[in-house]
Amino acid sequence: MGRFDFKDDAHFEKVREDAEALYGTVTSVRCPYFNEPVAFNAKGIRHLKFKSDQKARPRGDQYSRLKLLRLAPEILKRSNTVQGVWHTKQFEMQKSNSRWERLLKDVSFYEFIAVMDNLRVRIIVKQVEGGEKHFWSIMPYWKVNP
């Protein structure tokens, strides 16, 4: 049985509850690369559980990301170097005129790769034009397609 295989639903639920509890205690961390805080808001935890609106990630995928979540704040606190940056345009939900709308925005993603606790992980920080930088995702590096 591998490090990221869960035994049963009860084990998965425990990991999920622990990750959500930890996530709730971290509001932001100061990242030396940006020299400013990276927020840990609701968008990040939601992205770990859902690929898009109303489309949940497979449980195995959620499990590996939620299990690694404890490493994210510490890695971002220590990250002085970014391994990748990409800029794109995508539709984002934003409140405009008292209602939610999908607006086309410039979005930047920053990739940090680190080895901690004998695990190589990839962390993504997202920034939407005019917004704060926030934690977006964490995944085992071996799951990344080259």
Side-chain angles (χ1 to χ4, degrees):
M1 188 167 218
R3 187 182 289 203
F4 296 112
D5 297 331
F6 59 95
K7 300 171 194 81
D8 54 34
D9 287 342
H11 183 67
F12 172 79
E13 289 301 322
K14 172 145 180 40
V15 168
R16 185 183 58 77
E17 288 169 9
D18 291 348
E20 288 175 350
L22 170 78
Y23 200 87
T25 64
V26 181
T27 55
S28 68
V29 297
R30 185 159 199 78
C31 179
Y33 174 76
F34 298 120
N35 197 25
E36 63 183 72
V38 173
F40 279 72
N41 57 25
K43 295 174 186 176
I45 192 78
R46 180 168 175 73
H47 182 71
L48 296 181
K49 296 190 272 184
F50 294 89
K51 281 191 176 210
S52 60
D53 288 340
Q54 308 299 320
K55 184 163 170 52
R57 291 183 183 278
R59 280 196 162 207
D61 192 9
Q62 285 184 48
Y63 180 80
S64 62
R65 291 168 189 262
L66 293 171
K67 191 156 174 91
L68 290 171
L69 184 58
R70 63 183 173 75
L71 301 175
E74 191 60 33
I75 290 171
L76 286 174
K77 283 181 193 175
R78 296 180 183 190
S79 293
N80 289 301
T81 307
V82 69
Q83 279 69 38
V85 178
W86 64 100
H87 306 284
T88 187
K89 288 186 177 283
Q90 62 186 51
F91 286 97
E92 295 287 328
M93 292 297 290
Q94 291 197 332
K95 202 164 197 174
S96 176
N97 301 323
S98 300
R99 66 176 183 211
W100 287 97
E101 296 178 344
R102 293 179 64 82
L103 302 172
L104 187 63
K105 293 285 202 172
D106 290 321
V107 179
S108 299
F109 294 93
Y110 303 89
E111 172 187 38
F112 297 92
I113 298 171
V115 178
M116 189 175 245
D117 293 346
N118 292 321
L119 294 167
R120 188 173 181 199
V121 297
R122 177 181 178 209
I123 295 178
I124 307 297
V125 172
K126 181 178 179 180
Q127 182 178 26
V128 177
E129 171 190 9
E132 65 184 358
K133 290 175 180 68
H134 64 276
F135 167 80
W136 185 244
S137 189
I138 186 167
M139 64 206 81
Y141 190 77
W142 49 262
K143 283 191 120 176
V144 179
N145 293 330

